[in-house]
Amino acid sequence: MKSLYFITGSQDLYGEETLKRVAGDSAEMVKYLNGKLKDTVKIVCVSTVRNSDEAENICLKATCDKDCVGVICWMHTFSPSKMWIRGLQALKKPMLHLHTQANEKLPYKTIDMDFMNLNQSAHGDREFGFICTRLGIKREVVVGFYRHDDVIEKIRAFARVAIALNFSRGMRVAMFGGNMRDVAVTDGDRVESEIRYGWNVNYFGIGDLIEIVDAVTEEEINGKMSEYENKYKFATDDIKAVREQAKYQIALEKFLARERISAFTDNFQDLNGLKQLPGLSVQDLMSKGVGFGAEGDYKTGALMAVMCKMAEGRRGATAFMEDYTYDLTAGSEKELASHMLEVSPAFAANRPEIMVCPLSIGGKEPPARLVFDGIAGDGIAVSMIDMGTHFRLVCAKIKLIKRPEAMPKLPVARLTWELVPDFKTGAAAWLYAGGAHHAVVSTALNIEDIKLFAKLTETEIIVIDENTEI
Ligand code: MN
């Protein structure tokens, strides 16, 4: 399990007795937090930091520890912050500054100078906050008594984002083919993506995959077919076409494992050697948290994998989606989101049906795909675009709704949603912000999660929510 270091700051000025109390309180707090957060992250209590050498040592240790995804810092007493400069300069892990106290209530009747000197985070955390701001350190500040539920949940949310950032650093992304010809918004600066997010994005020829596809055995396909039978309803007699997709999925799984890849893209313009466009195969992989971006959209694919990591252990679905068409009936406008094949069954409201239908794009044999209507609930749509000078995240609140009517002639999976704060404002804001037609949609995550990701990666973010005005 990944860990967060719990670093308590103090100094030598107060003497042994006080430092003993500081250490004891910190241990007690960590014990309590571990009880509450044990399903998410392990909090590691480290020795109280009293001087600049100790600050530097613990920050270096946190930076080098592969299991450590971030640090929680708290100043129990006053801790002069020049002593934190070298340490904070060495720290390369996300920080949560926990502004709390060992005591909830102020003991008005008994408080004396000793108590006030021991419990002075109002004083010490301000000194620490200043040096973080002076050094330009992006961090999450959480304020409140450490046993309060809202504080615990903020620490949990931070831990999830920190775990996702740790995963993001060093994540490998494969592009089968390049970006779709002439399309702008799906393209991007792959070098900058690796510098900022750690995404190692590389091109692979589709021939690398075909080799593995050709070596898949009938027995392996039988195994994958029974996996499909358990999860999906067969609404086709064309079993051969479904087996073809099973073969692609097996090959993709082998390729991803061999190359240690967490997200991939394909491009229907470059699939020579495959009889069908990958449909069902990609859909099933997405539901397992493998990042996917269509038409060479590596940014959305990689972002999907990171957001799926962030959403681990939470209820809801997270996957790549595309804005497609609207119902513009005045006052009840809706968006229909879909893709030519690749919609994750994580979004399915009903048991997905496997269908085999011709596709007007791609010039291939009719591909097997999963068809279903989408779930209802609160969600977000997150798009990452390359502005040339920097990346921008556009994060919009959306309301997923039950399909208003059946769409029997539409042989692809689809979601229906309403924009926030209203259709016209939400859509115009997205267009002004430059948001793409591809996004990662999630009903598991919220805007705060994405804002924290943006803050800790120093990414520009535009939020579209109920308070948005053009
Ligand atoms: Mn697309």
Side-chain angles (χ1 to χ4, degrees):
M1 180 174 271
K2 295 296 179 193
S3 66
L4 296 173
Y5 283 11
F6 191 95
I7 304 174
T8 306
S10 187
Q11 60 174 323
D12 272 325
L13 182 74
Y14 307 107
E16 272 311 305
E17 195 50 40
T18 300
L19 283 171
K20 215 182 270 175
R21 290 288 303 275
V22 168
D25 286 344
S26 300
E28 173 67 29
M29 289 163 75
V30 168
K31 194 175 157 211
Y32 185 84
L33 293 176
N34 272 325
K36 291 286 180 180
L37 297 167
K38 61 177 182 292
D39 295 337
T40 309
V41 75
K42 181 172 187 264
I43 315 282
V44 176
C45 190
V46 301
S47 323
T48 309
V49 171
R50 297 169 304 172
N51 52 54
S52 54
D53 284 346
E54 288 177 358
E56 188 177 31
N57 286 344
I58 195 60
C59 289
L60 283 170
K61 194 176 171 206
T63 298
C64 294
D65 183 344
K66 295 257 183 205
D67 289 325
C68 170
V69 296
V71 298
I72 299 174
C73 293
W74 170 55
M75 304 300 120
H76 194 318
T77 63
F78 193 77
S79 182
S81 71
K82 285 182 187 171
M83 78 177 229
W84 285 96
I85 292 174
R86 272 193 290 137
L88 292 174
Q89 284 172 330
L91 182 67
K92 302 287 179 215
K93 297 279 167 82
M95 184 206 295
L96 182 150
H97 183 186
L98 181 59
H99 188 45
T100 191
Q101 290 186 161
N103 56 301
E104 181 184 20
K105 311 265 187 235
L106 196 60
Y108 294 98
K109 286 200 172 65
T110 58
I111 186 167
D112 55 12
M113 277 314 288
D114 284 347
F115 183 94
M116 201 155 74
N117 274 331
L118 176 65
N119 300 288
Q120 55 169 314
S121 54
H123 185 193
D125 273 335
R126 279 174 167 76
E127 171 76 357
F128 186 75
F130 163 73
I131 206 66
C132 290
T133 295
R134 174 71 193 263
L135 291 169
I137 292 174
K138 299 286 181 281
R139 73 279 186 196
E140 177 75 337
V141 176
V142 174
V143 178
F145 185 52
Y146 73 97
R147 288 176 184 246
H148 290 171
D149 286 345
D150 66 318
V151 171
I152 300 281
E153 288 318 306
K154 280 183 175 157
I155 298 172
R156 193 190 308 280
F158 171 81
R160 283 170 170 150
V161 174
I163 289 166
L165 283 173
N166 181 263
F167 165 80
S168 180
R169 293 247 149 245
M171 183 172 97
R172 287 165 55 79
V173 181
M175 296 180 74
F176 290 114
N179 192 66
M180 186 176 164
R181 286 190 279 277
D182 293 325
V183 177
V185 78
T186 48
D187 221 333
D189 182 342
R190 290 184 275 164
V191 177
E192 184 61 21
S193 298
E194 184 152 358
I195 293 170
R196 188 158 298 274
Y197 308 109
W199 302 340
N200 179 240
V201 187
N202 286 302
Y203 165 86
F204 289 86
I206 195 72
D208 297 337
L209 184 65
I210 304 288
E211 251 176 42
I212 311 174
V213 169
D214 289 343
V216 172
T217 66
E218 291 301 307
E219 204 181 351
E220 287 173 306
I221 297 174
N222 292 343
K224 187 59 77 187
M225 290 294 282
S226 43
E227 211 183 293
Y228 291 161
E229 275 157 25
N230 286 335
K231 290 195 277 190
Y232 309 127
K233 185 176 159 196
F234 278 66
T236 178
D237 296 328
D238 193 348
I239 299 303
K240 207 174 146 225
V242 182
R243 291 181 70 86
E244 185 71 12
Q245 289 284 335
K247 190 158 74 170
Y248 299 167
Q249 184 169 351
I250 293 159
L252 280 164
E253 282 167 353
K254 287 181 180 176
F255 176 85
L256 299 177
R258 189 186 78 192
E259 302 292 333
R260 293 181 295 110
I261 278 161
S262 306
F264 70 101
T265 71
D266 64 14
N267 180 346
F268 64 87
Q269 293 168 324
D270 182 11
L271 292 171
N272 288 319
L274 293 183
K275 289 183 189 149
Q276 301 176 20
L277 293 183
L280 165 60
S281 52
V282 168
Q283 291 177 285
D284 192 68
L285 277 171
M286 272 199 279
S287 72
K288 294 171 176 170
V290 175
F292 174 76
E295 294 105 41
D297 185 353
Y298 82 87
K299 298 197 299 308
T300 306
L303 185 64
M304 176 188 157
V306 172
M307 285 174 61
C308 284
K309 176 60 77 173
M310 220 182 276
E312 268 179 13
R314 296 164 83 165
R315 289 163 57 91
T318 302
F320 162 86
M321 277 307 298
E322 175 168 280
D323 303 272
Y324 232 125
T325 191
Y326 293 131
D327 178 343
L328 288 179
T329 306
S332 64
E333 294 93 342
K334 290 166 189 60
E335 172 164 341
L336 187 66
S338 186
H339 206 260
M340 58 191 185
L341 294 174
E342 311 92 331
V343 180
S344 171
F347 290 122
N350 55 319
R351 189 173 167 93
E353 298 190 346
I354 299 178
M355 297 174 77
V356 178
C357 315
L359 196 68
S360 50
I361 310 172
K364 300 270 173 187
E365 287 179 10
R369 84 287 303 272
L370 295 168
V371 180
F372 54 86
D373 288 299
I375 48 172
D378 290 336
I380 53 171
V382 189
S383 169
M384 180 181 277
I385 56 171
D386 185 344
M387 300 292 289
T389 49
H390 60 278
F391 288 112
R392 168 181 289 175
L393 287 163
V394 183
C395 179
K397 202 172 249 192
I398 54 173
K399 283 187 196 318
L400 288 87
I401 58 166
K402 187 175 179 290
R403 60 152 203 221
E405 286 179 48
M407 291 165 264
K409 297 209 161 168
L410 185 65
V412 285
R414 56 266 169 166
L415 310 185
T416 312
W417 67 62
E418 292 170 350
L419 302 189
V420 175
D422 58 77
F423 176 75
K424 288 186 179 181
T425 309
W430 187 274
L431 297 181
Y432 279 125
H437 46 81
H438 284 175
V440 183
V441 167
S442 178
T443 58
L445 302 173
N446 56 52
I447 286 176
E448 295 310 314
D449 297 312
I450 306 305
K451 277 163 85 172
L452 184 52
F453 171 81
K455 181 159 72 173
L456 296 175
T457 56
E458 301 190 49
T459 307
E460 181 179 86
I461 181 165
I462 291 177
V463 167
I464 302 169
D465 62 10
E466 47 280 288
N467 301 316
T468 294
E469 292 171 18
I470 297 302

